[in-house]
């Protein structure tokens, strides 16, 4: 069954949409989820758990309004998306009410019309967790073949509409925020190998990032990338130079050969792109 998620102005009291009931629910309940951007919508799914009235609720006690204290996305980490795989992450909304929290609608709003929405029953009287699935590609077999666009990368906001067990509702716009970023990759090559002590080593590489419009990785131009060295027998890398990528994302510099060890490039990320580190390339230095 496919359910339409109504706009805020069409939701009924208590935060529910005017939709047909879901049939066949047991210990858990699955509901199709719609994601919409300026280009359309895509379907996902989320598992939810029913909860009862908290044991501490006192019948006849004066009711208080529910409160949303915050929302945490992906356990506080950036959400980084490549070009082929689903990325699944939780969003936990926390709050309180004298009767306990019962149900939550969560909207994720991003740059250039980026939008995802889903809902869930709360797993405890003070916490409600739902799960989102995003991908650069359209969902296979979806009736709504829409995907992420490059313009959607950046800072996203979390809006939460929470129902309490006693029927009270609170809407909390901007309850949280997170970064949705394009995945990056780095390569490295240090040569010659081996090299005489005191000679020059040329270290090259390339920084690329996911292009959500073309479903390919492409060079990331004009970005500062650290060249790092780890001596043989050590576990610590030290930055020895910083180099900007070319118009095609390539990197190149030379360093003096002093001792055996590993060379790598390290990109710390940007507001739209996740971090990346190349695997160390070992160079033997001979007397």
């Amino acid at each position: 069954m496919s359910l339409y998620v109504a706009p805020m102005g069409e939701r009924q009291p208590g935060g529910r949409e005017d939709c047909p009931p879901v049939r066949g629910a047991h210990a858990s309940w699955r509901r199709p989820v719609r994601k919409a951007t300026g280009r359309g919508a895509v379907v996902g799914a989320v598992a939810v758990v029913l909860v009862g009235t908290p044991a501490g609720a006192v019948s006849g006690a004066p009711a208080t309004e529910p409160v949303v204290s915050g929302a945490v996305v992906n356990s506080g980490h950036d959400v980084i998306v490549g070009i082929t795989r689903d990325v699944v992450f939780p969003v936990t909304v926390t709050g309180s009410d004298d009767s306990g929290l019962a149900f939550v609608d969560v909207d994720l709003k991003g740059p250039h019309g980026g939008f995802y929405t889903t809902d869930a029953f709360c797993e405890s009287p003070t916490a409600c967790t739902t799960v989102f699935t995003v991908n650069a590609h359209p969902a296979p077999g979806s009736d709504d073949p829409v995907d992420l666009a490059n313009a959607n990368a950046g800072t996203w906001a979390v809006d939460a509409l929470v129902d309490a067990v006693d029927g009270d509702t609170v809407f909390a716009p901007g309850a949280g925020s997170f970064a949705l970023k394009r995945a990056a990759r780095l390569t490295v090559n240090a040569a010659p190998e081996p090299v005489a002590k005191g000679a020059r080593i040329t270290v090259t590489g390339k920084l690329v990032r996911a292009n959500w419009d073309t479903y390919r990785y492409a060079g990331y131009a004009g970005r500062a990338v650290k060249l790092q060295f780890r001596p043989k027998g050590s576990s610590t890398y030290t930055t020895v130079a910083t180099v900007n990528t070319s118009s095609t994302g390539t990197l190149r510099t030379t360093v003096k050969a002093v001792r055996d060890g590993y060379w790598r490039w390290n990109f710390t990320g940007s507001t739209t792109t996740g971090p990346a580190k190349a695997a160390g390339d070992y160079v033997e230095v001979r007397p």
Side-chain angles (χ1 to χ4, degrees), residues 128-157:
C128 314
T129 299
T130 185
V131 177
F132 287 84
T133 300
V134 301
N135 197 328
H137 269 291
S142 171
D143 293 332
D144 305 300
V146 175
D147 47 4
L148 283 169
N150 289 339
N152 299 139
T155 300
W156 286 56

Side-chain angles (χ1 to χ4, degrees), residues 4-12 16-19 31 107:
Y4 168 71
V5 180
M8 291 296 302
E10 299 177 17
R11 292 178 180 170
Q12 305 303 308
R16 307 297 196 278
E17 295 80 33
D18 187 12
C19 300
R31 172 180 182 170
D107 293 342

Side-chain angles (χ1 to χ4, degrees), residues 30-45:
R30 288 189 176 271
R31 172 180 182 170
V33 178
R34 289 193 176 273
K35 165 238 176 179
T37 67
R39 302 158 58 196
V42 65
V43 178

Side-chain angles (χ1 to χ4, degrees), residues 90-250:
V91 177
T92 299
V93 177
T94 55
S96 62
D97 183 75
D98 55 353
S99 67
L101 306 183
F103 192 83
V104 64
D105 284 318
V106 177
D107 293 342
L108 306 182
K109 298 179 179 179
H112 295 271
F115 182 76
Y116 286 87
T117 186
T118 188
D119 50 39
F121 286 93
C122 302
E123 70 272 20
S124 81
T126 58
C128 314
T129 299
T130 185
V131 177
F132 287 84
T133 300
V134 301
N135 197 328
H137 269 291
S142 171
D143 293 332
D144 305 300
V146 175
D147 47 4
L148 283 169
N150 289 339
N152 299 139
T155 300
W156 286 56
V158 181
D159 293 352
L161 177 66
V162 179
D163 296 348
V165 173
D166 60 12
D168 288 341
T169 298
V170 61
F171 178 59
S177 64
F178 69 102
L180 181 65
K181 297 184 177 183
R182 297 157 63 178
R185 295 175 178 175
L186 262 176
T187 59
V188 64
N189 183 59
E193 305 174 52
V195 65
K197 186 173 183 178
R200 304 297 292 182
I201 299 172
T202 299
V203 187
T204 58
K206 187 171 186 177
L207 174 64
V208 297
R209 63 172 173 168
N211 187 319
W212 294 340
D213 295 335
T214 64
Y215 315 129
R216 299 175 182 273
Y217 278 85
Y220 195 9
R223 309 313 301 185
V225 181
K226 298 175 182 178
L227 176 64
Q228 299 181 323
F229 177 72
R230 175 169 67 88
K232 180 181 179 181
S234 171
S235 60
T236 303
Y237 276 95
T238 301
T239 299
V240 298
T242 299
V243 179
N244 288 334
T245 57
S246 71
S247 60
T248 59
T250 59

Side-chain angles (χ1 to χ4, degrees), residues 62-83:
T64 60
E65 295 296 321
V67 174
V68 172
S69 54
V72 176
V73 179
N74 199 29
S75 301
H77 302 294
D78 294 344
V79 177
I80 300 175
V81 182
I83 58 173

